[in-house]
Amino acid sequence: MSCGDPHETDCSEVLDHLYEFLDREMPAGEADKFKEHFDECSPCLEKYGLEQAVKKLVKRCCGHDDVPTDLRSKVMGRIELIRSGEAVPEQTVMEQAVADQQARQAQDADASARATRTAESA
């Protein structure tokens, strides 16, 4: 997407790194360039506003769910694979995270059952 006007920071770069900007995960100098771009480019500003609204909605509706601690690194790893053009595993990050969480829950249940049996036999 591009508004067709030349900018110091290209629209595609802004949109590629929009969530880093939204999450305040970019250096201040880069963030300043993005702010300047939004002042000049209404299509990107509109996209920013939409993504900001979606992020707030997700936070409000899903903010209480426990997220696996390694999910962020898995997501970032997947993004890097895609950007580098390498083959991406068939299982999605979310599918892998759910499988990992289910495995942890099963291990916790097994440990709890063993503890209960030990306590009952004592």
Side-chain angles (χ1 to χ4, degrees):
M1 178 181 93
S2 176
C3 65
D5 295 330
H7 301 286
E8 181 179 334
T9 306
D10 189 61
C11 294
S12 62
E13 180 183 349
V14 170
L15 296 177
D16 285 346
H17 298 281
L18 184 57
Y19 275 92
E20 290 172 55
F21 179 80
L22 280 167
D23 294 338
R24 296 183 177 102
E25 295 178 345
M26 63 175 34
E30 290 292 310
D32 291 342
K33 287 183 358 184
F34 276 46
K35 289 175 189 174
E36 182 179 320
H37 183 93
F38 292 132
D39 288 341
E40 300 171 352
C41 182
S42 60
C44 287
L45 179 61
E46 184 178 333
K47 180 71 173 168
Y48 165 75
L50 175 64
E51 295 300 328
Q52 187 177 40
V54 168
K55 185 176 171 157
K56 286 180 182 179
L57 178 64
V58 168
K59 182 178 181 178
R60 188 176 75 231
C61 295
C62 306
H64 306 292
D65 294 339
D66 290 332
V67 177
T69 56
D70 58 343
L71 180 59
R72 177 177 171 71
S73 62
K74 289 179 181 179
V75 169
M76 294 307 293
R78 182 67 60 97
I79 290 170
E80 290 305 318
L81 281 175
I82 292 169
R83 284 184 178 163
S84 69
E86 294 182 37
V88 179
E90 289 184 29
Q91 193 174 35
T92 68
V93 172
M94 288 304 296
E95 290 170 340
Q96 182 62 48
V98 168
D100 291 348
Q101 187 173 20
Q102 289 171 339
R104 284 191 297 275
Q105 289 172 342
Q107 289 172 344
D108 291 346
D110 288 344
S112 178
R114 282 194 303 274
T116 301
R117 285 193 301 270
T118 303
E120 289 175 349
S121 66

